[in-house]
Amino acid sequence: MRRKIGRKGLLLAIFFVIALLVAGCGPKLDQGSSQPASSSSSSSGSSSSPSSSEGTSGTSIEGGEFVLGMAISLSGGTAKYGEAAKRGVEMAIEEFNASGGYNGKKAVLKLYDDEAKPEKSVEVVQRLITQDKAVAIVGPANSGNAKAHIKFTQEAKVPEVIPVATGTAITQTYAGEEKNYIFRIAPFDSGQVGTMLKWAVEEKGFKKLALLHDTTGYGQGGKEDVLKQLKENYNLEPAVIESFQVGDPSMEPQLTKIKNANVDAIIFYGLAPEVAVYLKSRDKIGYYPITVASWAMGDPTVKELVGDLVNKNLYFVQSFTIDQSDKAKAFHEKVVAKYGEDIFPIATAQGYDSAKVILSAIKKVGLDSEKIRDAIENMTDFDGVTSAGAQPFSKDNHEALTKDNMFLATYKDGVIAKP
């Protein structure tokens, strides 16, 4: 009896060992095949959606396609910037592919939503570089995201053209290196601040200014530019400096302090949702100071959130209008024909030009990322829809738009116009 029980026990033991080994193998296989966590989406740059590059590591430059990467916010406070820029990139890719691509190879857009979060931006940009094998990247919309991830594009020697994020230091971070891989086609903050202060101090004679900014990388960068240029160019300092957090429900306390200081005007640095909170707070306490702001004040989201409150004493930087040239007008009409609307004309135009300068470089030198960078920097025949010139960049300048391209606009009956 004891011997029979021993054999059964032995058989049971063998069964359990095998079962444990099988069970142990399962999770290892699952882990090995899992993809990086991401809520990002992928799409083709054309209306058709080639699937050959979807989630396929290391194969994107095979066959008849190559990948142009894009990491930008399609959710969060800068979602409208991202959506508009994405449409511009899609249109540039369509034109490139319709013209034959590069030696028959067509561009495919690999797009990720960075959710306006720096950590997410780092994740998806690394994925574009290492897994999707993007030959170049367009993005992002947020300066904090750019600051977080550009070291990866720089180190990987993958050129990145920024269509929205305006933090001054972004393109200067690697300016001292032999080759700088970061370019921009958007009104950089230092240029915007110069435009704002020239209007306020030189043209209007305002000397007593308040500064109200958010605490993100965007607002902090704007604050640094304002303080630097006020001191160096006008020997002035803000009479009041106040800040706010993204998501704050009210700015009445900050506005009350500023009101008590009796300033001539407020320099405002924040994104659309916070602009809306600011305008509602002004209205609630019945205080409507002249406000000079970055181009974020012209985000269509602001008007959607506050309606007619945009019509009271607001001035903000712009660098593109639909009627600035025949090319700009024709491009706007193409956008409307394709999408039924032009939700954010300046961002769409900058997205288009950002992709076009990359694709124009590819036409010249092929799909080697380092050669693409060199061709972008040395291009002399660029033909875009923004005010970027035929030679948008050089070794010492990676900003396609200059102070000469920027001006102040305002709302007149809800429509953006020059003052």
Side-chain angles (χ1 to χ4, degrees), residues 213-216 243-251 254 274 277:
H213 65 92
D214 72 31
T215 56
T216 68
S243 64
F244 55 87
Q245 302 278 344
V246 170
D248 280 354
S250 171
M251 296 184 198
Q254 295 95 325
E274 286 65 48
V277 173

Side-chain angles (χ1 to χ4, degrees), residues 324-378:
Q324 72 180 28
S325 68
D326 290 340
K327 284 193 301 183
K329 183 178 179 181
F331 177 71
H332 166 71
E333 291 172 351
K334 287 182 180 178
V335 174
V336 174
K338 178 174 176 59
Y339 296 101
E341 59 181 348
D342 194 355
I343 57 172
F344 202 164
I346 185 173
T348 306
Q350 290 169 184
Y352 174 85
D353 274 8
S354 295
K356 186 172 183 179
V357 76
I358 293 171
L359 296 170
S360 297
I362 289 173
K363 281 277 191 182
K364 296 174 184 293
V365 300
L367 301 174
D368 182 294
S369 293
E370 293 186 57
K371 292 181 179 178
I372 294 170
R373 188 220 78 92
D374 294 346
I376 291 172
E377 188 175 84
N378 296 306

